Amino acid sequence: MRSLLLLSRRLSKLSSPRNPHFVLSGVRFLSETPLCHIVGAEPCGSTSRDGEIGRLVITACRESFWQTRTVNKKVPMSLMAETATIGASHGWVATLKDGVVCLQDDLIPSASDSDPKRISLPPLQTLRHCQTQLVTNVALSSASPDEDEDCILAVKFVGPQLSLCRLALGDKAEWFDVRVKDPGFFYSRVMYSKRDSMFSMPCFGGKHTGSWDLEQYTLRDSYFSTYPEFLQSQWDRLCNSCRSEHLVESPTGQIYFVKWYTQRCLSSGRSLTDRFLVFRMYENQMKRHITDIGDLCIFLSAKGEPFCLQASLYGLSRNCIYFVGSHDFGKANIADNVMVKEMRTSPAPYIIPPQS
């Protein structure tokens, strides 16, 4: 346990804004792979290691256009089952089987399929009156969990339990389990803030924001200074929608609070994206509704950790949200909520960020 406590101090130093590697705003590396989201996999055989395998199908963004194609990367078809993965962060997907979480780079198109990186963690410990089968999402403190000795994985379970684990400890790794008492966090999604060097979650409704590391817990009250001006019929529609709430951090450390509204289609039973609301969070925890985030675009997926990129560096549409839901994907303009979307069910609804 002492090693876990010492880790948070080291992590804070490595991730602080004083560190020159904290952020390279306005820089795109030539070696980066394109941004993409996972469509599925086409069966192509089997191996003794993975059983049935398939070639990965992705929709990739290369500068100004999106293209769906099958790549040579082979992946286990077991990852294409609807309940096969519990979340993804920085392209790494997490699986949960028999109480053991495993991180895998199989769905990163540029990663090796002959020698995939797979990190198995120690068996989960379930706190009293908690459960460790249903997961909201996962988050990593680093994009290189296989190389960064200070990388921590956070797993948020439905209910009170949040579990953290330092990956580099190997056989000596252990879970640091947190009981989140406020019921408003029971269905929250966790993200990692480089700016704060902590894992954070929004309370349902956005009235509080909680932050955790291996040593401390911070709860901040927040309030909404402005809301959009809608007709009563529009508010009624939002009240009758399903909603998920997300915190996302820009490359420069600005935090945004995003509400993602979906409507259930009566004829098909599918959950389809209806609207997004974006709020900027200020140092005093004020949330202000905005319709312009500048030269940025936000990426949300049904089970993945959200992220944000500078639009002009990747030939993307500024001031937009790119999303992959359970039954649709597309792009929404934050200014007027105009969407371009398609209905498509993805067994692994993840957006894979550019990989260096």
Side-chain angles (χ1 to χ4, degrees):
M1 182 62 67
R2 179 177 176 80
S3 62
L4 288 173
L5 297 177
L6 290 175
L7 165 62
S8 64
R9 299 191 184 99
R10 296 181 62 191
L11 183 61
S12 178
K13 292 178 182 178
L14 287 171
S15 303
S16 69
R18 297 186 184 91
N19 191 304
H21 300 293
F22 169 68
V23 62
L24 291 175
S25 179
V27 175
R28 178 181 178 183
F29 296 100
L30 295 177
S31 59
E32 284 184 341
T33 59
L35 177 83
C36 69
H37 77 77
I38 305 301
V39 176
E42 295 181 350
C44 65
S46 63
T47 66
S48 57
R49 181 189 65 199
D50 296 326
E52 297 295 321
I53 60 173
R55 289 187 174 86
L56 192 64
V57 181
I58 63 172
T59 296
C61 179
R62 294 185 179 274
E63 300 305 332
S64 60
F65 67 93
W66 292 84
Q67 180 185 36
T68 299
R69 58 192 177 93
T70 302
V71 296
N72 289 327
K73 175 67 182 293
K74 299 180 181 67
V75 300
M77 290 301 294
S78 60
L79 293 180
M80 294 298 112
E82 184 177 355
T83 58
T85 58
I86 59 173
S89 178
H90 297 285
W92 289 73
V93 294
T95 61
L96 174 58
K97 185 177 181 180
D98 299 327
V100 175
V101 174
C102 180
L103 274 178
Q104 306 179 208
D105 71 347
D106 290 85
L107 297 189
I108 299 177
S110 60
S112 170
D113 53 14
S114 60
D115 186 23
K117 297 174 182 177
R118 298 171 183 175
I119 306 171
S120 291
L121 302 178
L124 292 166
Q125 300 175 353
T126 305
L127 296 176
R128 188 179 181 185
H129 302 309
C130 296
Q131 63 82 34
T132 52
Q133 295 297 315
L134 301 177
V135 177
T136 57
N137 78 314
V138 304
L140 287 165
S141 64
S142 166
S144 304
D146 57 323
E147 298 175 354
D148 186 348
E149 65 177 12
D150 290 312
C151 181
I152 298 176
L153 170 70
V155 182
K156 176 61 180 71
F157 299 96
V158 175
Q161 185 163 334
L162 170 68
S163 297
L164 311 176
C165 185
R166 181 188 177 189
L167 306 178
L169 291 177
D171 294 339
K172 297 181 180 179
E174 59 181 321
W175 289 101
F176 179 74
D177 300 312
V178 179
R179 183 188 299 276
V180 184
K181 297 181 179 180
D182 189 335
F185 290 103
F186 284 4
Y187 292 90
S188 296
R189 297 166 184 259
V190 66
M191 57 84 75
Y192 182 74
S193 168
K194 290 184 179 179
R195 184 193 69 183
D196 300 331
S197 302
M198 299 183 79
F199 292 96
S200 296
M201 292 188 295
C203 181
F204 183 76
K207 295 182 179 180
H208 312 290
T209 299
S211 299
W212 290 261
D213 62 13
L214 298 175
E215 239 182 358
Q216 61 180 331
Y217 157 57
T218 302
L219 179 65
R220 297 186 179 95
D221 292 330
S222 59
Y223 64 97
F224 294 88
S225 65
T226 58
Y227 275 96
E229 295 183 0
F230 287 157
L231 298 174
Q232 185 59 46
S233 59
Q234 293 175 301
W235 283 118
D236 291 342
R237 182 177 178 86
L238 292 183
C239 289
N240 292 322
S241 301
C242 295
R243 182 179 80 229
S244 61
E245 298 170 336
H246 310 259
L247 294 178
V248 59
E249 186 175 73
S250 77
T252 57
Q254 174 61 55
I255 303 291
Y256 296 100
F257 176 67
V258 183
K259 296 186 178 185
W260 183 354
Y261 293 89
T262 59
Q263 286 275 346
R264 179 74 63 179
C265 179
L266 296 179
S267 60
S268 66
R270 295 179 175 180
S271 180
L272 303 177
T273 300
D274 188 59
R275 176 177 286 276
F276 294 96
L277 293 180
V278 180
F279 298 82
R280 179 174 177 175
M281 294 186 63
Y282 292 83
E283 292 298 325
N284 62 357
Q285 294 304 300
M286 178 182 75
K287 292 185 176 75
R288 179 173 177 268
H289 175 251
I290 58 173
T291 58
D292 191 351
I293 60 172
D295 186 27
L296 296 173
C297 45
I298 293 172
F299 298 87
L300 298 179
S301 55
K303 294 168 65 176
E305 184 183 13
F307 61 96
C308 182
L309 294 176
Q310 184 175 334
S312 58
L313 289 181
Y314 297 90
L316 301 170
S317 300
R318 66 182 300 279
N319 198 40
C320 283
I321 294 177
Y322 291 83
F323 62 92
V324 177
S326 299
H327 301 106
D328 61 358
F329 76 98
K331 176 179 68 174
N333 191 308
I334 296 174
D336 52 17
N337 202 56
V338 171
M339 294 188 190
V340 178
K341 65 178 181 178
E342 294 182 19
M343 292 178 58
R344 183 168 68 192
T345 300
S346 173
Y350 301 119
I351 301 177
I352 308 297
Q355 306 288 318
S356 297

